[in-house]
Amino acid sequence: MTAPAALQRRLTHLRQLEAESIHILREVAAEFDRPVMLYSIGKDSSVMVRLAEKAFAPGPLPFPLLHIDTTWKFRAMIDFRDRFVKERGHELRVHTNTAAIAEGINPFDHGSNKYTQVMKTHALLDALRAGGYDAAFGGARRDEERSRAKERIYSFRDRFGQWDPKSQRPELWSLYNGKIKKGESIRAFPLSNWTELDVWQYVWLENIPIVPLYFAAPRPVVERDGALIMVDDERMRLGPGETPRTEVVRFRTLGCYPLSGAVRSEATTLPAIIREMLLATHSERQGRLIDHDEEGSMEQKKREGYF
Amino acid sequence: MRELEDAELARTDIEGYLRRHEHKELLRLVVIGSVDDGKSTLIGRLLHDAHGIYEDQLSAVQRASSKGATRGEGSEAAIDFSLLTDGLRAEREQGITIDVAYRYFSTARRKFIIADTPGHLQYTRNMATGASTANVAIILIDARLGVLAQTRRHAYIASLLGIPHLCACVNKMDLVGWDQAVFQRIADELGAFAGKLGIPDVRCLPISALRGDHVVDRGDVAPWYTGPTLLEYIEEVPLTGDLNLTDLRFPVQYVIRPSLDYRGFAGQIASGVVRRGDELVALPSGRRSTVTSIDTHDGPLEEAFAPMSVTLRLADAMDISRGDMLVREGARPESSQRLDAMLVWMAERPMDPDKSYLIKHTTRMVRASIERVVGIVDPDTLQPVPAPRLGLNDIGRVELRCHQPLFFDAYRRNRGTGAFILIDSLSNDTVAAGMIQAGTSAATGADAGPARENAPQVSAAERRARLGQSGAVVTIGGSDGASARERAFLIERVLFDAGLVAAVVPEVGAAAVAAAGVIALVVVPRPALALDGAAVTSASDDHEAAARAVLAALGAAGRTS
């Protein structure tokens, strides 16, 4: 808390968002038996974990972190994840849909829709069921996508993990209804009211570590359907005439490398990234290929149990 | 134009830009209006003209627009802005907004959270939801139609949910030729109605959301209008005073115990200010202790205020858990099992007065029964009409009896401790939103021991009618104990002579005495002169002057009739 804000007894928007997020984190920890925090390694997850550290300091997080690993994440993400949880002393659980991997599911042959459903949605639901988790934190923001704009902070899921947008519980004030029956669960979104700019500003203000892929660097890429795809390992399949070339690029969102589009950029510092974000005319999800499949695709995925 | 300056700063001096945006304030808006008043168009216009929409979202909307999902808003718009906010597929198919959508944009001065709420009569619950956290209500009125029954209902809900600022946008002014007389007639009618509702700050703006006039850009369509544009208004409306910084209310949310040496009570301050060294009372136990530390992850604080999330440590080992509340002695909340409340019924299934519901209030969850439905508010006359129960989207006044006492304030005084939700314990659905009217129910008092199953039959209103006053706690201190006692007895005499019933009582019994309708005078070992925790100004050390000041304060607080 900065001194001038305390003297005026008014919080800046970031401190107010922070206080509200901490309230949500504590509320879930108090009301549920087995909460878990989905950790996707991205900047939003980094902010969410920092807020959780603030909520329960000086104690440890009263829940584990859960990473759904498709095995196609950027190598730099996995390095960052392992170093981060070790340094912070957080408990990490990793879940992979190994059965699907054995069947040969991959992002090249099965299309982003099918692949996401199996490797992310099904894997997530399996992991939540196996862990007996009754509440799962996600780092989603309402400004990301149109169907997210209507999701509650406590998002109720039936026993199959499905979201029904038409029967959402009304959510007033900061009074969240966490009552569920056995087998049902909630997804809790502490960053609901944060925007992309808020998240970046908070990363800057709080000096929060993020994956180096967010910063521009020379990387091997191929151009495919108008997107720059990084060749992160030897599993990357190259089409006829595709030759990786080195370009100075960075990523606005991180996920599975064959499905994440890079942007050409010279931004190597946090303020430079924020500057680029502010002056950009394309929202960040454009780099994420899964939303482009069809109109309302995110809503469809969420109905099925995706975060 | 300010926005361009902001973009220019981002281009040329990004760190300067970040410093500027670090000091933004947060403002929550709710936009409400009847069907086809152009709500979504207005929000789309605000986001677009203030650069809150990204280009690929816009191109997705253009795709959707050309698929044929047209609206009644008129064909002149190149882009159907309403498609930006109508996020769900069902809504796009039906061309209506069926749920509250939240949208975000910011300027250099403020970050805005906009709740877009649907205007159909059956969706009152969504309006209430969007209004529950809002600082400002923007109500849309079609210039051609004027103030409708729906408009009055919307303004009523805004006032019921305690929104301090109401901004009425008279939209589609282009369709009435920017006629000043039309605007003035609507402004006068709405102003008179809002006055009756007791909304403290009301403002009217003539706009055209479709063309963008007076939304972000002024244009030159109405030289007679010299007031602010909508963006200027929401950037400048003062927020100081919206938050209760008087009464400390700290609902304990979570107990942090990483080791035997550390026991911290974590929570978000609902109202008021807490300082290190303050003596606090824990409710319901009534036990007292001193704040030894206000902890945050970023280090300890000397002082914290609403709405900060902090962790308090106390000098004494006390059994405090989630659902308890830490407050200041002399400024306690009301404590009662009986609530007089306004409810907005939100479930398809109507209220069943014979069953019990769960109440979630602050961090406390208790079971409650509906003792009486006083009446349902008629949407046109706004008068209560007797009814056996509330149904979907009804707004009504009820009396509830909780199985455990709650610690609360009147919603008008304190949104954080005056609000609750009702949960159906079978379906687990949130069935109603409640706003405690308070002050009219007889208190059982935190000091009255464990909750009693038999609730009192005499209401505070009845006591007041009998005694001609309502109870209060007056805290009296002095430079030394003897002087303070002398002053207290003198004040008792002056109040008695003025026809009031007052008594000097020990601090521990003060709340119960006040609940009984008597003015409790409490002597404390520190300089103080306060009425229900609020300092009473006394010009001198003179006891007579202090007594007169207390008498005046009681009158001003409405404690005497």
Side-chain angles (χ1 to χ4, degrees):
Chain A
M1 316 288 157
T2 56
L7 288 175
Q8 297 166 21
R9 292 203 182 132
R10 284 206 63 81
L11 296 182
T12 64
H13 75 292
L14 282 177
R15 293 305 172 200
Q16 203 168 324
L17 290 173
E18 177 187 66
E20 288 173 9
S21 299
I22 290 173
H23 172 81
I24 295 162
L25 287 154
R26 287 169 171 171
E27 204 63 6
V28 172
E31 289 194 314
F32 290 86
D33 293 329
R34 287 180 70 80
V36 68
M37 178 170 279
L38 268 290
Y39 176 65
S40 73
I41 321 177
K43 67 181 195 304
D44 301 293
S45 277
S46 293
V47 166
M48 182 164 62
V49 173
R50 170 62 58 88
L51 291 165
E53 290 168 355
K54 291 197 175 198
F56 303 103
L61 302 192
F63 40 74
L65 305 182
L66 172 65
H67 180 225
I68 303 302
D69 191 351
T70 60
T71 71
W72 290 92
K73 301 293 172 190
F74 290 92
R75 284 173 300 163
M77 290 172 70
I78 303 300
D79 292 346
F80 178 91
R81 176 194 76 187
D82 294 342
R83 203 172 52 247
F84 175 75
V85 294
K86 195 168 161 226
E87 274 171 19
R88 296 290 180 161
H90 297 318
E91 182 187 346
L92 173 75
R93 298 190 186 161
V94 178
H95 182 90
T96 299
N97 188 346
T98 45
I101 299 269
E103 283 173 33
I105 295 277
N106 66 69
F108 305 111
D109 297 325
H110 300 88
S112 72
N113 236 341
K114 176 79 180 163
Y115 167 81
T116 301
Q117 191 185 22
V118 171
M119 293 309 296
K120 291 186 172 174
T121 309
H122 290 180
L124 171 66
L125 294 175
D126 287 347
L128 293 179
R129 198 165 32 242
Y133 301 117
D134 53 0
F137 291 105
R141 293 176 279 109
R142 285 185 182 139
D143 76 328
E144 281 178 65
E145 198 269 342
R146 283 190 294 170
S147 72
R148 292 248 199 248
K150 308 211 162 182
E151 188 150 12
R152 305 294 188 253
I153 287 171
Y154 269 35
S155 180
F156 176 79
R157 302 300 168 107
D158 67 13
R159 58 189 69 247
F160 305 106
Q162 298 173 113
W163 182 58
D164 180 359
K166 280 190 175 173
S167 70
Q168 297 194 85
R169 294 170 175 174
E171 198 162 77
L172 296 100
W173 299 289
S174 52
L175 293 171
Y176 306 112
N177 176 357
K179 299 297 283 184
I180 52 167
K181 293 172 191 154
K182 197 168 161 51
E184 297 169 344
S185 61
I186 66 129
R187 307 277 169 88
F189 299 105
L191 303 185
S192 287
N193 286 323
W194 296 58
T195 61
E196 191 187 8
L197 176 59
D198 296 331
V199 166
W200 279 122
Q201 256 197 307
Y202 195 73
V203 167
W204 188 61
L205 193 67
E206 295 272 323
N207 205 12
I208 293 172
I210 52 170
V211 182
L213 293 162
Y214 284 114
F215 299 100
R219 296 186 170 101
V221 294
V222 294
E223 191 157 351
R224 184 177 289 178
D225 304 330
L228 292 172
I229 304 297
M230 180 171 160
V231 182
D232 195 45
D233 62 30
E234 72 294 342
R235 294 178 299 171
M236 177 71 185
R237 286 193 208 158
L238 299 177
E242 276 184 345
T243 342
R245 60 172 189 273
T246 301
E247 288 210 42
V248 179
V249 296
R250 65 178 200 87
F251 293 86
R252 300 181 69 183
T253 56
L254 300 178
C256 297
Y257 79 80
L259 298 175
S260 299
V263 291
R264 292 185 180 91
S265 167
E266 302 289 330
T268 54
T269 64
L270 207 44
I273 289 175
I274 299 174
R275 180 173 175 274
E276 215 175 76
M277 190 272 294
L278 286 166
L279 302 177
T281 51
H282 289 247
S283 74
E284 62 181 306
R285 281 201 163 266
Q286 195 168 53
R288 199 174 285 188
L289 302 184
I290 60 169
D291 282 358
H292 285 283
D293 290 344
E294 56 173 294
E295 188 71 20
S297 65
M298 179 61 86
E299 183 185 339
Q300 187 57 38
K301 288 184 178 70
K302 285 161 64 61
R303 283 172 182 270
E304 290 164 5
Y306 185 65
F307 245 84
Chain B
M1 200 186 125
R2 196 170 21 233
E3 287 312 307
L4 291 178
E5 288 166 20
D6 213 37
E8 192 51 37
L9 189 63
R11 209 182 311 277
T12 55
D13 175 14
I14 183 62
E15 302 219 3
Y17 175 93
L18 289 171
R19 278 192 299 277
R20 175 195 277 186
H21 280 258
E22 211 181 296
H23 296 105
K24 280 187 299 199
E25 293 182 311
L26 181 58
L27 178 77
R28 288 180 152 93
L29 300 165
V30 59
V31 182
I32 44 192
S34 302
V35 188
D36 293 332
D37 282 341
K39 286 183 313 294
S40 296
T41 305
L42 177 72
I43 294 173
R45 175 62 73 181
L46 259 182
L47 290 169
H48 178 263
D49 290 2
H51 308 287
I53 296 175
Y54 289 108
E55 202 175 79
D56 63 335
Q57 285 173 0
L58 210 54
S59 66
V61 165
Q62 275 164 330
R63 270 205 307 280
S65 293
S66 58
K67 274 185 188 171
T70 51
R71 307 268 300 234
E73 194 50 47
S75 55
E76 286 175 68
I79 298 161
D80 187 348
F81 285 117
S82 62
L83 290 171
L84 285 164
T85 50
D86 295 353
L88 301 177
R89 179 180 292 185
E91 292 171 306
R92 292 195 296 275
E93 286 163 0
Q94 295 167 33
I96 52 159
T97 312
I98 59 170
D99 206 338
V100 186
Y102 292 92
R103 282 282 154 188
Y104 304 84
F105 78 103
S106 81
T107 65
R109 296 186 56 180
R110 284 181 174 167
K111 167 188 167 115
F112 299 97
I113 302 180
I114 307 176
D116 178 15
T117 67
H120 307 272
L121 187 63
Q122 64 268 37
Y123 291 125
T124 295
R125 65 169 181 183
N126 292 327
M127 259 178 267
T129 301
S132 69
T133 50
N135 312 90
V136 174
I138 294 176
I139 294 194
L140 275 149
I141 300 173
D142 187 324
R144 298 167 302 176
L145 304 175
V147 176
L148 302 174
Q150 286 255 30
T151 316
R152 283 192 287 274
R153 190 174 170 86
H154 296 156
Y156 171 65
I157 294 170
S159 76
L160 184 70
L161 272 294
I163 303 177
H165 311 279
L166 177 68
C167 174
C169 286
V170 181
N171 191 22
K172 309 192 187 183
M173 281 298 293
D174 51 319
L175 299 184
V176 296
W178 288 93
D179 184 340
Q180 184 175 7
V182 169
F183 172 72
Q184 201 53 52
R185 199 160 53 236
I186 294 171
D188 290 346
E189 191 179 347
L190 189 92
F193 184 72
K196 268 192 261 176
L197 294 173
I199 299 173
D201 175 28
V202 183
R203 185 104 212 191
C204 267
L205 312 183
I207 65 162
S208 167
L210 193 61
R211 293 166 182 278
D213 298 314
H214 295 172
V215 178
V216 172
D217 299 320
R218 178 166 292 275
D220 53 3
V221 285
W224 50 266
Y225 179 71
T226 53
T229 64
L230 181 58
L231 184 66
E232 285 166 358
Y233 170 78
I234 60 177
E235 274 201 310
E236 282 155 29
V237 58
L239 297 177
T240 41
D242 288 2
L243 202 61
N244 180 333
L245 289 175
T246 311
D247 312 305
L248 175 67
R249 303 286 182 255
F250 186 79
V252 175
Q253 204 186 355
Y254 192 88
V255 181
I256 296 176
R257 287 186 81 175
S259 68
L260 289 175
D261 316 327
Y262 190 97
R263 189 178 170 85
F265 304 107
Q268 185 171 19
I269 302 172
S271 64
V273 180
V274 62
R275 290 176 207 83
R276 192 167 61 88
D278 278 356
E279 188 184 68
L280 301 184
V281 187
L283 299 176
S285 75
R287 292 194 57 195
R288 261 166 278 188
S289 188
T290 307
V291 177
T292 54
S293 183
I294 303 171
D295 293 343
T296 74
H297 176 270
D298 307 303
L301 302 174
E302 275 303 304
E303 160 184 303
F305 53 91
M308 287 178 169
S309 282
V310 294
T311 301
L312 302 184
R313 278 190 289 160
L314 301 175
D316 305 277
M318 288 167 46
D319 182 22
I320 296 173
S321 53
R322 176 177 166 84
D324 292 359
M325 191 184 281
L326 294 171
V327 302
R328 219 182 291 282
E329 186 59 89
R332 291 191 183 201
E334 289 195 56
S335 168
S336 175
Q337 284 177 253
R338 295 165 73 100
L339 305 177
D340 174 356
M342 296 300 296
L343 286 187
V344 179
W345 199 259
M346 302 194 148
E348 298 281 345
R349 188 194 293 253
M351 165 194 288
D352 179 353
D354 293 331
K355 77 185 226 181
S356 69
Y357 292 90
L358 292 171
I359 280 189
K360 187 172 182 187
H361 171 261
T362 63
T363 55
R364 209 167 164 81
M365 181 99 80
V366 302
R367 195 163 276 285
S369 318
I370 290 149
E371 284 221 307
R372 188 161 86 94
V373 179
V374 179
I376 291 177
V377 176
D378 180 284
D380 294 319
T381 65
L382 303 182
Q383 295 305 307
V385 178
R389 66 179 63 79
L390 270 58
L392 179 61
N393 293 309
D394 281 341
I395 297 169
R397 186 163 194 154
V398 298
E399 287 171 16
L400 298 167
R401 187 169 58 82
C402 305
H403 297 198
Q404 300 281 319
L406 296 184
F407 318 111
F408 60 85
D409 298 283
Y411 184 79
R412 288 214 165 267
R413 180 171 175 85
N414 200 324
R415 264 169 136 176
T417 54
F420 64 88
I421 56 171
L422 274 192
I423 298 168
D424 183 315
S425 51
L426 280 180
S427 70
N428 288 335
D429 283 337
T430 302
V431 294
M435 285 127 299
I436 301 174
Q437 307 294 296
T440 56
S441 56
T444 52
D447 297 322
R452 281 173 289 151
E453 200 51 37
N454 293 319
Q457 299 293 311
V458 180
S459 75
E462 288 172 298
R463 279 184 221 279
R464 186 187 168 99
R466 170 77 52 85
L467 295 172
Q469 66 179 48
S470 39
V473 177
V474 179
T475 314
I476 302 155
S479 42
D480 63 83
S483 160
R485 275 197 94 67
E486 186 192 331
R487 172 178 282 202
F489 286 123
L490 192 97
I491 290 174
E492 182 183 15
R493 182 75 232 175
V494 169
L495 296 183
F496 187 82
D497 290 346
L500 300 174
V501 187
V504 178
V505 297
E507 195 166 3
V508 66
V513 169
V518 175
I519 296 159
L521 308 177
V522 178
V523 182
V524 295
R526 59 177 187 277
L529 189 63
L531 169 60
D532 291 336
V536 172
T537 316
S538 170
S540 70
D541 291 340
D542 176 10
H543 292 345
E544 285 268 2
R548 282 194 301 275
V550 169
L551 190 58
L554 283 165
R559 299 293 171 165
T560 59
S561 33

